[in-house]
Amino acid sequence: MSDITRGDNALPKAAHRDVANAGLFFKRWMANPLQMGSIIPSSATLCRRIAALVKRAEDEVVVELGAGTGVISRALLAAGVPAEKLVVVEIVRDMADHLRSALPGVNVIQGDAFELPKALPAAMHGKVGTAICGIPLVLLPRADQQRFVDAVEAVAPGKGFLLYTYCITSPLPYRQLGLSAKREAWTPLNFPPASVWHYQPARS
């Protein structure tokens, strides 16, 4: 496995502003708050912390679920994830179209993260190094949380996923979902303050 680390490739502020497209982000939040974790895009600091946690082998892809306007996607690219190895799944057509324009070379799929085995090409099943989730799972019923966990497990068996959240404690009842949990990062200067949790299938 090769780690994708922060290195010297911090996300440029100008690029962050360009991709953030706050108006589009806020429009999407107004249309469906349950698909968004915040009314503003994630900060550059949070994006870098997430990118530093990504791991993948040379033949594996990184999958971002619920990418919004692409600020985290750009941080992943800046941290060394090749564009052709980054897969972004976005359910909203307008957002997917924006991401295709803003992230040339990245595989942007308009699809449902809760139907991930259908959204991802079969050749990628079992070839996901890291899955990153920006969907506010904490707001969803337990059954939908379980559906998401099962969808990720189907394409990334045993790997689990990174979830960035604005909850101080675990946003998921991980034991009840058959998961282990570890808070990998905390960014108190993000607005709102954010955590990055790594959830994996619990060992029996």
Side-chain angles (χ1 to χ4, degrees):
M1 300 291 286
S2 61
D3 292 356
I4 302 298
T5 57
R6 175 175 174 180
D8 295 325
N9 295 319
L11 180 65
K13 291 183 179 179
H16 189 275
R17 288 195 301 269
D18 178 57
V19 180
N21 197 331
L24 180 62
F25 194 96
F26 184 69
K27 179 181 177 182
R28 179 184 167 186
W29 183 86
M30 289 291 290
N32 193 338
L34 290 180
Q35 288 181 348
M36 308 293 285
S38 172
I39 63 171
I40 59 174
S42 301
S43 72
T45 300
L46 175 60
C47 293
R48 289 194 296 265
R49 295 296 296 275
I50 293 169
L53 292 169
V54 167
K55 298 180 180 180
R56 71 171 190 90
E58 289 187 6
D59 63 341
E60 292 180 329
V61 297
V62 176
V63 176
E64 185 182 358
L65 307 168
T69 54
V71 292
I72 290 173
S73 308
R74 286 294 291 267
L76 296 171
L77 296 172
V81 178
E84 68 274 14
K85 294 296 185 180
L86 178 57
V87 181
V88 174
V89 179
E90 172 55 56
I91 195 170
V92 179
R93 180 179 296 277
D94 287 350
M95 302 295 273
D97 290 343
H98 167 74
L99 290 166
R100 291 189 184 100
S101 175
L103 303 169
V106 172
N107 188 354
V108 178
I109 297 172
Q110 185 192 349
D112 188 348
F114 293 81
E115 299 289 341
L116 199 52
K118 295 180 181 178
L120 284 188
M124 294 183 183
H125 293 195
K127 293 294 184 179
V128 177
T130 299
I132 302 164
C133 178
I135 302 166
L137 300 177
V138 66
L139 301 177
L140 302 181
R142 184 77 46 78
D144 287 339
Q145 293 173 347
Q146 188 67 63
R147 268 205 317 134
F148 178 85
V149 170
D150 294 343
V152 173
E153 179 64 14
V155 300
K159 297 287 185 66
F161 56 95
L162 297 175
L163 174 66
Y164 55 98
T165 175
Y166 305 101
C167 301
I168 295 176
T169 59
S170 172
L172 294 179
Y174 57 93
R175 293 186 182 89
Q176 298 173 43
L177 295 170
L179 301 172
S180 62
K182 181 181 180 182
R183 189 167 77 168
E184 297 282 4
W186 163 241
T187 58
L189 298 182
N190 192 76
F191 181 79
S195 295
V196 183
W197 289 80
H198 185 201
Y199 296 98
Q200 289 181 281
R203 296 178 180 178
S204 55

